[in-house]
Amino acid sequence: MTTHTVTVRAGGGSYPVLVGSGVRRRLPEVLGEVRRVAVVTQAAIGFEVDPGCEHEVFTIGEGEEAKTLATVEELCRAWARWGLTRADRVVAVGGGLVTDVAGFAAAVYHRGVGVVHVPTTLLGMVDAAIGGKTGVNLPEGKNLVGAFWQPGAVLCDLDALATLPERERRSGLGEMAKYHFLTGRDLTALPLDERVAACVRIKAEVVAADERERVGARRGRAVLNYGHTLAHALETAGRYDLRHGEAVAVGLVYAAELARRLGRIDDARVAHHRRVVEGYGLPTAPPPGVDPDELMTLMARDKKAVDGLTFALDGPDGVEVVTGVDPTVAAEALAALAGSP
Ligand code: GLY
């Protein structure tokens, strides 16, 4: 299989993202001359990498409960005991949680040590590991503390996807579905490796144009949150058995229904959203028993909502951030969704 190389320009420099089968073997090459490597992973991941130099594996816990400042402190203390220096590197091997936590710890340890990401999930490959967003949760909310810390390289080894449980693999497709609407390109017919590379390329372009997600930008990095306003509300409500990518899938169809009601897109474009999401075997409606009032309240509290209800919405000029959305229309779109098959 071909290896695709995408260059991300950010953080005043650039770095390669390699996509293909077996690219983990390129780790020594992308690390270059380093003395030691701290590999950060989770016990259940079982995807081994060989940095080709002295290294030690540091494991962090599973689930959102592990995405805390306490985990960052534990990691930094373990690195200090081991003697990690700024001449060394961190290599994060895992899903978005691992790359977010290890990336943040790398950003703050000794005021910054280099990191290479080896995402092992589709979600990590097309989103979390690319673009330098790192961070952890607070009891008050998700990803409230973090830093922009660009990796030195990202290795998207497609062999890792074979190790994933089916539902986890499908969940990653939700983030992938998002990219179908961020450009005019149809990704449907592409084989997996090319599709992952295409998603990385789209993200790289968005990040290069707006690395730090300028507040108030209509077309900046915030468009990467397409489908995420309802998705985050569904996740925050916490009562629904949905993976992130499944929640994003529902959020994409909701965003299309809302954009149509606001006169931004037509019926055919909504149907296209449904086709893409269904094509990935993902849900197009919230689970039964969903509480629309609660979701409306949570959507109003979204981090993007600085000026009334705020959504990334498709329209004649593509996806852009729209503020001050009429709550009645937003509620109508939600009701239409809940009623759909
Ligand atoms: N996941 C959205 C971003 O990286 O900006």
Side-chain angles (χ1 to χ4, degrees):
M1 193 192 273
T2 333
T3 297
H4 306 268
T5 305
V6 180
T7 302
V8 181
R9 292 178 209 291
S14 67
Y15 57 91
V17 180
L18 306 186
V19 180
S21 175
V23 295
R24 67 187 174 285
R25 289 191 279 275
R26 307 270 299 268
L27 183 57
E29 178 195 325
V30 298
L31 284 168
E33 288 285 308
V34 289
R35 196 178 57 110
R36 322 172 93 186
V37 165
V39 176
V40 180
T41 191
Q42 288 165 318
I45 285 174
F47 191 71
E48 289 187 8
V49 295
D50 180 2
C53 62
E54 183 189 345
H55 61 280
E56 177 95 3
V57 176
F58 298 83
T59 50
I60 62 172
E62 316 280 330
E64 287 293 308
E65 303 76 50
K67 200 176 176 184
T68 59
L69 284 167
T71 302
V72 172
E73 181 179 350
E74 275 164 32
L75 257 186
C76 291
R77 290 183 62 184
W79 291 346
R81 286 193 297 272
W82 188 55
L84 189 77
T85 73
R86 286 171 74 182
D88 305 325
R89 292 286 180 280
V90 171
V91 172
V93 182
L97 190 146
V98 175
T99 54
D100 274 12
V101 171
F104 182 47
V108 292
Y109 181 80
H110 286 199
R111 298 198 184 88
V113 50
V115 62
V116 168
H117 292 315
V118 185
T120 58
T121 62
L122 201 49
L123 193 148
M125 294 180 191
V126 300
D127 190 34
I130 316 289
K133 272 193 184 174
T134 70
V136 294
N137 302 333
L138 292 179
E140 286 74 14
K142 277 175 64 112
N143 299 331
L144 293 188
V145 176
F148 288 100
W149 189 244
Q150 298 294 342
V154 183
L155 302 180
C156 301
D157 192 327
L158 301 177
D159 294 351
L161 302 178
T163 67
L164 294 179
E166 171 56 18
R167 192 157 175 212
E168 186 59 47
R169 198 190 58 77
R170 209 157 45 90
S171 166
L173 297 172
E175 286 292 346
M176 190 172 248
K178 169 186 86 178
Y179 288 102
H180 284 248
F181 311 109
L182 294 188
T183 68
R185 276 189 70 199
D186 186 4
L187 308 177
T188 318
L190 297 178
L192 183 69
D193 60 324
E194 285 179 31
R195 205 179 308 182
V196 171
C199 294
V200 172
R201 215 166 277 124
I202 296 168
K203 178 147 188 186
E205 279 164 21
V206 174
V207 168
D210 180 21
E211 184 189 347
R212 297 202 163 224
E213 198 165 317
R214 284 186 321 274
V215 176
R218 281 173 76 82
R219 293 185 172 283
R221 190 165 179 161
V223 301
L224 294 168
N225 282 323
Y226 189 43
H228 283 59
T229 311
L230 177 60
H232 285 156
L234 285 162
E235 290 176 293
T236 307
R239 236 169 304 112
Y240 312 111
D241 177 26
L242 283 176
R243 296 293 173 92
H244 177 69
E246 293 168 333
V248 170
V250 177
L252 290 170
V253 177
Y254 172 68
E257 289 286 355
L258 180 55
R260 176 175 56 178
R261 280 171 176 74
L262 294 171
R264 297 177 56 86
I265 59 172
D266 59 15
D267 289 352
R269 186 73 177 155
V270 180
H272 179 57
H273 278 70
R274 288 183 179 275
R275 256 197 326 276
V276 168
V277 169
E278 280 164 3
Y280 279 124
L282 291 163
T284 56
V290 82
D291 177 353
D293 293 337
E294 181 184 20
L295 294 180
M296 287 299 300
T297 306
L298 290 170
M299 287 198 288
R301 274 194 219 142
D302 189 87
K303 277 208 287 291
K304 286 191 302 300
V306 283
D307 187 14
L309 269 175
T310 302
F311 295 88
L313 291 177
D314 201 1
D317 302 320
V319 175
E320 60 184 9
V321 176
V322 179
T323 57
V325 171
D326 181 346
T328 313
V329 182
E332 274 168 20
L334 195 54
L337 205 63
S340 66

